[in-house]
Amino acid sequence: MIYQTFTLANGLRVVHNCEPTRAMVAINLLYNVGSRDESRGLTGIAHLFEHLMFGGSANVPDYSKAIEAAGGNDNAWTSNDFTNFYTQVPAHNVETAFWAESDRMLALSFDPHVLQVQRRVVIEEFKQQCLNQPYGDLMHGLRRAAYAAGHPYSWPVIGIEPDHIARVTEDDVRRWFYSHYAPNNAVLAVCGNISAERTLELAEKWFAPIPAREIAPRLLPDPGFPTSDVRVEMSGNVPSTMIVKAIPMAPHGTPDYYVADTITDLLANGQSSRYVRRLIHGPEPIFAGAEASIIGSEHEGLMLLMAQMADESPQAIERAEHMLLDEARRLALPGEVSEYELQRSFNRFEFTFENSMTNYLDRAQQLASSVMHGSDINSRVDLQRRTTLDDVCRVADRMFNHTAHVTLLYRPEK
């Protein structure tokens, strides 16, 4: 993929990719702030701020209304590590998006009514997603067990409890904005029917006047993973027992991160994966589903091995726990994974990645992420393909045989 990068005098990094066959342009603004910047006494503010950024800025009373009037649409997401805003507009109205997006980087309206409204919205979202949805509070229990209490990964992005959101003040909002939302703490990605020259021209016009700001230092403690196995049980209004095993893994961008990603693909990506063939469709009909995934955190993350039960008997649940981990442990045996199986996982990853790159909005988000990490998006598939059979054995042995893990059983209420 051909792309260009620029850095404005105020520190804003801009990345551009041209696709002249499109009628639209995607503008993606990625801020280097997430729930890992929160304190345990005031969680959920990063996600709340995602909502506040749509509540009006210095010169744009309603961001979404301005974008809709230009024929576009917008949305955002928040993670433990980042907050991301994306907008799509017709190419001939692209300056509207630059104007509106830059204005909310310049300054919010800080309207007390907006804060009041969005607090209620986020609290309601917390109730819907975490309290009134099956397994909704699973990540609360899992993160609490997997990370030391002082580490910001020990709570989910939405926060520990609704009361934290209710306590956010106008001073908290101003402090969070001016210490995190700044050109020198962001990456602007622009993809679609727009030239590099026009992109730089509009970035200079609308973003360059915004001053750089002092970014609050990020002081992350060591994760404090358990030194011995931990077992946690939860219950709720759920259809069946869920088993989750969480194992510490390497941070994003390190060589073993890509090995861990490959391991989860071998275990659970596709109908030919091991969990599907040997657990779901295996000789013991006790699994309703099984999967493996990674939480790709900037700091030390987690690999999750998960299963949903079709058989609720105590014997079946105990057997399923062993099978879930034993199947993963087989990857640590020399000769267990063939070169063909490994290459098949690479091919599947490459297909998924390259297919996502055909969407200009997905491409904008991937470009913003790669620039934020200081990496080349064109090397992403190669980084995955560098994993060897020896790497799989080594990392699987360390993670599944020599690392303490957290087991969470989420059972139906009796």
Side-chain angles (χ1 to χ4, degrees):
M1 180 193 308
I2 299 174
Y3 64 91
Q4 292 178 265
T5 58
F6 319 93
T7 302
L8 304 187
N10 58 11
L12 179 67
R13 289 163 287 175
V14 182
V15 55
H16 165 264
N17 168 255
C18 181
E19 190 173 357
T21 60
R22 298 283 185 178
M24 306 284 285
V25 176
I27 293 182
N28 190 91
L29 193 56
L30 181 66
Y31 287 95
N32 189 14
V33 58
S35 61
R36 63 173 165 162
D37 296 286
E38 298 169 348
S39 66
R40 189 171 185 84
L42 195 64
T43 64
I45 189 172
H47 174 242
L48 171 64
F49 226 87
E50 173 198 321
H51 288 252
L52 293 176
M53 288 287 279
F54 291 92
S57 54
N59 303 290
V60 184
D62 188 319
Y63 181 88
S64 293
K65 184 177 291 186
I67 296 301
E68 289 170 6
N73 59 77
D74 57 84
N75 213 326
W77 53 258
T78 310
S79 72
N80 293 99
D81 302 306
F82 303 110
T83 308
N84 190 72
F85 301 88
Y86 55 93
T87 300
Q88 301 175 86
V89 290
H92 61 275
N93 284 337
V94 68
E95 188 164 6
T96 298
F98 275 85
W99 160 69
E101 192 66 84
S102 67
D103 199 65
R104 59 180 178 177
M105 178 188 282
L106 174 66
L108 292 184
S109 66
F110 300 112
D111 184 342
H113 177 68
V114 172
L115 175 59
Q116 183 181 11
V117 169
Q118 294 306 324
R119 273 195 304 235
R120 290 200 299 264
V121 170
V122 173
I123 289 171
E124 186 61 30
E125 184 179 342
F126 189 106
K127 293 175 180 178
Q128 289 179 356
Q129 293 186 2
C130 303
L131 304 181
N132 300 325
Q133 183 171 291
Y135 313 106
D137 58 346
L138 185 150
M139 291 306 297
H140 282 81
L142 187 67
R143 286 185 174 275
R144 186 167 55 243
Y147 290 95
H151 198 284
Y153 286 174
S154 66
W155 57 83
V157 173
I158 203 164
I160 294 176
E161 58 185 58
D163 284 349
H164 285 196
I165 299 302
R167 293 204 306 265
V168 173
T169 67
E170 293 178 44
D171 286 343
D172 293 326
V173 169
R174 288 181 181 274
R175 185 163 49 248
W176 187 269
F177 179 81
Y178 286 112
S179 60
H180 297 293
Y181 280 76
N184 48 312
N185 202 40
V187 174
L188 176 70
V190 181
C191 293
N193 190 358
I194 183 172
S195 68
E197 293 75 17
R198 180 64 171 159
T199 295
L200 182 57
E201 174 192 344
L202 291 175
E204 289 281 2
K205 177 179 179 180
W206 292 108
F207 286 93
I210 303 171
R213 295 170 182 142
E214 185 176 349
I215 306 304
R218 177 177 286 144
L219 303 174
L220 286 176
D222 289 334
F225 289 127
T227 56
S228 58
D229 290 349
V230 173
R231 189 176 186 82
V232 178
E233 295 204 12
M234 301 175 67
S235 63
N237 184 18
V238 297
S240 62
T241 297
M242 178 83 75
I243 303 170
V244 184
K245 290 189 177 290
I247 304 104
M249 61 167 284
H252 183 280
T254 60
D256 283 356
Y257 170 90
Y258 302 106
V259 180
D261 196 20
T262 298
I263 285 173
T264 58
D265 282 351
L266 292 168
L267 287 175
N269 189 356
Q271 292 301 306
S272 60
S273 65
R274 290 171 174 243
Y275 275 1
V276 173
R277 289 186 292 112
R278 298 176 178 177
L279 300 187
I280 299 175
H281 300 310
E284 300 183 54
I286 60 176
F287 292 92
E291 58 184 272
S293 61
I294 61 172
I295 298 178
S297 306
E298 298 299 290
H299 211 203
E300 287 86 342
L302 297 172
M303 178 184 290
L304 305 183
L305 310 179
M306 306 177 68
Q308 196 159 358
M309 298 302 298
D311 185 335
E312 290 291 327
S313 68
Q315 297 83 1
I317 292 173
E318 182 179 2
R319 177 68 179 141
E321 279 194 61
H322 288 295
M323 292 174 68
L324 197 65
L325 191 55
D326 288 347
E327 192 60 51
R329 283 174 169 157
R330 291 179 61 171
L331 300 181
L333 301 174
E336 170 65 24
V337 180
S338 68
E339 186 66 37
Y340 173 82
E341 186 179 9
L342 183 63
Q343 290 301 320
R344 183 176 61 195
S345 77
F346 293 156
N347 294 342
R348 186 182 295 276
F349 174 85
E350 182 172 0
F351 172 79
T352 302
F353 179 81
E354 295 296 344
N355 190 55
S356 71
M357 290 298 95
T358 62
N359 182 302
Y360 66 101
L361 177 58
D362 288 347
R363 193 183 312 152
Q365 297 197 39
Q366 291 280 1
L367 278 168
S369 178
S370 67
V371 171
M372 182 68 76
H373 289 116
S375 61
D376 179 4
I377 194 172
N378 293 319
S379 68
R380 180 60 186 92
V381 173
D382 290 339
L383 289 170
Q384 197 85 0
R385 287 188 174 276
R386 289 177 191 174
T387 297
T388 66
L389 293 173
D390 287 343
D391 290 332
V392 172
C393 287
R394 173 182 55 82
V395 174
D397 181 55
R398 185 186 74 237
M399 293 186 68
F400 304 133
N401 295 321
H402 303 287
T403 302
H405 59 263
V406 173
T407 301
L408 186 150
L409 287 187
Y410 204 126
R411 301 178 186 269
E413 288 179 337
K414 295 182 179 180

